[in-house]
Amino acid sequence: MIKPRTLFDKLWNSHLVDIQDGDLIYIDRHLVHEVTSPQAFEGLRNGGRRVRRGKMTLLVADHNVPTTNRSNGIIDIESCVQVQTLEDNAKAFCLEYFGMEDIRQGIVHIIGPEQGFTLPGTTIVCGDSHTSTHGAFGALAFGIGTSEVEHVLATQTLIQHPAKNMLVRVDGVLPVNVTSKDLALYIIGKLGTAGGTGYVIEYVGEVISSLSMESRMTICNMTIEAGARAGIIAPDKTTFEYLQDRPMSPKGIMWQNAIAYWKTLTSDRGAYYDAELFINANSLVPMVTWGTSPEDVLPITGCVPDPVVVVNPSKRAAVERSLIYMGLIPGTPLTDIKIDVVFIGSCTNGRIEDFRAAASILKGKKIASNVKLLAVPGSGLVKKQAEDEGLDIIFREAGAQWREPGCSMCLAMNADKLDEGERSASTSNRNFEGRQGRGGRTHLVSPIMAAAAALTGKLTDVRKL
Amino acid sequence: MDKFTKFTGIVAPLPIINVDTDMIIPKQFLKTIKRTGLGKNLFNEMRYTKDGLEISDFVLNKPAYRLASILVTGSNFGCGSSREHAPWALFDFGIRCVIAPTFADIFYNNCFKNGILLIKLPQSDVDQLIFDAKNEASPMISIDLEKHEITCHDDICIKFEIDSFRKHCLLNGLDDIDLTLQKKNKIERFEIHHHLEQPWL
Ligand code: SF4
């Protein structure tokens, strides 16, 4: 009998080119953005090498692009050079490129799925850790460094070590106003930011099956924050429906053949996992981070923790450091924490479903007078869809700024950033020191929690609004 | 890539866990299109005030550690983004080796590709190295990659483990891409087979 295999094992084995000197695996899809690619293309040029499979490569500018009026191009000279370099490289190496004026432009992890570039059963890489997002489609997708970007461009392969398998099963039903973002934060809190190191996490269970593709992407996106290499969810009807008729999805008879193959992409019964985590979703509540690591997470009903009770000395030192940076006093109820800025967007929560959810909270209301709310769609197509549905009007009437697509305040490489000491409720994925601007303080939340915080000017339990 | 065999250097202690890539090199320095020149911005926000003045009690600003080439630090070092700017900044500053109980995955790969040796040691060894680095007048250690050995000031020797392929590449300064291109035929054969299985790709 053949040994039962996990979905990860199947994806790995079906891409193995060679096993001498480390596993050499084939890469089907390569997404490239402006920040982590210039040195890779420079390396190709210096080595006199070509791009091996241009058709498997898609370029887009997202990290640096302005989210305000783009008619004058990019004002910041360095950002402009970086984006221009990407465009030049696209031309020089004959690669598909979505420029700033293209409606398909957006955050790399939003446009891949949107275009049907992301497909089940593929290996997908990008010079960006949140490439894990694409695992929601039953693809093996992970972030790589610039040297590896160059390696993939030149060879369409990567030298990798196989990961260990972790299973996360989520059963029950997510309560009303508790979202897949809350679930993702909860899991990171359980595992810790290094708990997934060396693993690929497969998510299964009633809750996962019932989630939309957008919500599944949020979970796989955040998987990297638990230290795991990738997150995967077996493809099913929801996946196929999402992909059907996307511009780059297979068509006609190919589509039928593809579906037949994709249906085989599940873990075998009895497959072995090196670690397992079981969660019942019934009692989950909205989550919020209080510190400077995504593992510093608590239910919104909680209070700022006291380092005195932390036993592990290096962990205690980390909590103390976080609290000083965040300007928080132990014991303060989280709902007493005042907010200056709310950011709704990013590859974690910048999809249409996220804007619909936030709009449902904001509809007919005004945000608190001391709050600035930035709504940044994840792509030009998400923006258009939202506008077609009138969501932009709801946001604007509530007092929000409705912006052009890009990474924006998720990492604050463009003009969208927190000032020293400013505090945000953000739907993005990282609350690291300085992430949203030097001295800026980030609380990670779901889109509806972000909208609720915008209305009251404080971290708020959206269930009580 | 430079070859890495043996070397002796100053150890700087950074006893913080979960040092993320935003701390190692903040995003405002990611706009470069070069690999060099990032050393002056390594650990920028811990190292300089908002106005660009040195913060005197940050370890790399202290006279004893300004020329450090080895960093000893807490677990999960390098977590966060995949930016290779983090190893580039470390390398440009002069760091050739980082010692910690654990490292984040992507960062781990990135360092070896840039000739930086990462050594995983048990917490107790790391604690001892941090203690020594803080208390010695001249906190030097020697690292011998061939023998998997760290030698400390009083000739105490600590063994470490390393994957044989990574070691081979570091010792010989090998470029992965050249190695892989030697397998061109295997890649071509794979592509034919792969296309038959998933022709829609
Ligand atoms: S939105 Fe944030 S996390 Fe996502 S790709 Fe952009 S910068 Fe990275």
Side-chain angles (χ1 to χ4, degrees), chain B residues 32 36 38-39 54 76 82 99 107 150 158 175 180 191 194:
Chain B
T32 174
T36 50
L38 290 165
E54 282 189 7
N76 200 27
S82 66
I99 302 171
F107 177 79
I150 302 173
I158 304 174
D175 171 352
T180 301
E191 280 177 331
H194 198 51

Side-chain angles (χ1 to χ4, degrees), chain B residues 140-179:
Chain B
M140 305 271 266
I141 61 173
S142 301
I143 294 168
D144 186 330
L145 177 57
E146 192 108 52
K147 291 193 187 150
H148 304 187
E149 261 175 24
I150 302 173
T151 312
C152 310
H153 57 100
D154 36 11
D155 288 336
I156 292 176
C157 186
I158 304 174
K159 284 273 182 195
F160 61 88
E161 285 177 27
I162 181 171
D163 163 279
S164 57
F165 179 62
R166 285 209 167 96
K167 176 181 160 185
H168 172 73
C169 291
L170 266 188
L171 281 175
N172 299 296
L174 291 179
D175 171 352
D176 283 356
I177 298 181
D178 278 335
L179 290 176

